[in-house]
Amino acid sequence: MNTKLTLKQRILIGFVLALAFFLVLGSNLVDRRHFSTIQKTIESIHDDRVVVQDYIYQLRNFLHDREVEVLETGNIEKNNEHFGQITAILDDFAATDLIREEAAFLKRLRQQFYGPSGLSSVYGKGDKSKILEHIHSTKKTLDALEEIQIEESGHLTRISEKSLSVNRMLSNLEIGFMIIIGLSILMLVFQPIKTLYPIH
């Protein structure tokens, strides 16, 4: 066995080691990008979908309470404190990352609560049927917004799953390449290839 490395062997080993280094570096950069995507989608699922579901739930509760109040007690007096809470919820909702369709529904929701003929204006004017009609149409808008949350949560989950599967595939490829590179170095050191030596 020839234990002394020739210049060509050293160059090849250096090349293989450099290749291994760039492979690990490139893989690390790709991994970081995928992990960043996963982190962003998880944060978005929580901040822009789960939290928004709670806003929708609070708005639905408010409408349900007003509906029961009108039907059972006949009370149509406007409670400014309640409507003030709705404003805060709608403002928090607007501060989330909205898709175009969602922004359009949120704009409609504001109109249904605070527009010239919205629920806030109709209250206290003595027309129960009009109040109930407004509550019913506002609930439909909330249904549409709730559907968007479900669709977008699914979309973000699929993005995360895709990034994870690409990450797993790249990790397996990286392990395979590292094994091949390791074996190549061993072969160069302990089994010199004839073509590495100059022909006399």
Side-chain angles (χ1 to χ4, degrees):
M1 182 190 298
N2 186 4
T3 55
K4 191 173 180 182
L5 297 175
T6 66
L7 179 62
K8 286 187 179 180
Q9 280 181 303
R10 288 177 184 172
I11 290 168
L12 274 172
I13 289 171
F15 174 75
V16 169
L17 288 173
L19 185 66
F21 170 77
F22 285 114
L23 176 69
V24 171
L25 180 66
S27 174
N28 185 267
L29 292 172
V30 171
D31 285 349
R32 283 179 68 182
R33 187 168 62 86
H34 283 291
F35 280 123
S36 175
T37 300
I38 293 164
Q39 185 181 1
K40 282 176 187 171
T41 54
I42 289 170
E43 285 173 2
S44 185
I45 287 170
H46 178 267
D47 298 342
D48 304 318
R49 303 299 152 211
V50 175
V51 171
V52 166
Q53 282 280 27
D54 182 56
Y55 296 152
I56 292 169
Y57 174 77
Q58 289 179 57
L59 294 169
R60 194 179 291 283
N61 267 356
F62 171 82
L63 292 172
H64 175 73
D65 291 347
R66 300 295 72 76
E67 189 175 29
V68 169
E69 195 175 53
V70 171
L71 288 171
E72 292 185 0
T73 68
N75 181 17
I76 54 169
E77 291 301 313
K78 182 179 173 182
N79 186 322
N80 288 322
E81 186 184 341
H82 285 158
F83 277 95
Q85 290 168 356
I86 297 303
T87 303
I89 292 169
L90 292 175
D91 288 344
D92 289 342
F93 195 155
T96 63
D97 188 16
L98 303 170
I99 63 170
R100 188 183 300 173
E101 190 183 4
E102 191 178 16
F105 277 117
L106 183 58
K107 187 177 178 181
R108 183 194 296 178
L109 194 63
R110 280 192 188 275
Q111 289 295 316
Q112 288 171 322
F113 273 110
Y114 297 108
S117 58
L119 195 59
S120 177
S121 303
V122 173
Y123 248 87
K125 291 185 178 175
D127 193 342
K128 291 181 188 178
S129 63
K130 206 163 187 179
I131 291 171
L132 292 172
E133 187 185 318
H134 269 74
I135 288 172
H136 182 66
S137 67
T138 308
K139 278 183 176 180
K140 282 187 175 178
T141 306
L142 287 175
D143 288 341
L145 283 166
E146 197 161 14
E147 213 170 290
I148 289 170
Q149 306 319 307
I150 294 165
E151 286 173 8
E152 283 302 301
S153 293
H155 173 66
L156 290 168
T157 302
R158 285 190 295 276
I159 290 172
S160 293
E161 286 171 351
K162 187 178 175 184
S163 283
L164 278 171
S165 100
V166 170
N167 215 33
R168 276 193 295 268
M169 182 189 72
L170 288 173
S171 293
N172 290 336
L173 283 172
E174 185 183 344
I175 290 166
F177 276 122
M178 292 304 286
I179 290 169
I180 291 166
I181 288 168
L183 290 171
S184 299
I185 291 173
L186 287 172
M187 283 175 68
L188 285 169
V189 172
F190 297 107
Q191 295 289 331
I193 301 168
K194 288 178 184 177
T195 55
L196 294 177
Y197 295 99
I199 298 169
H200 297 288

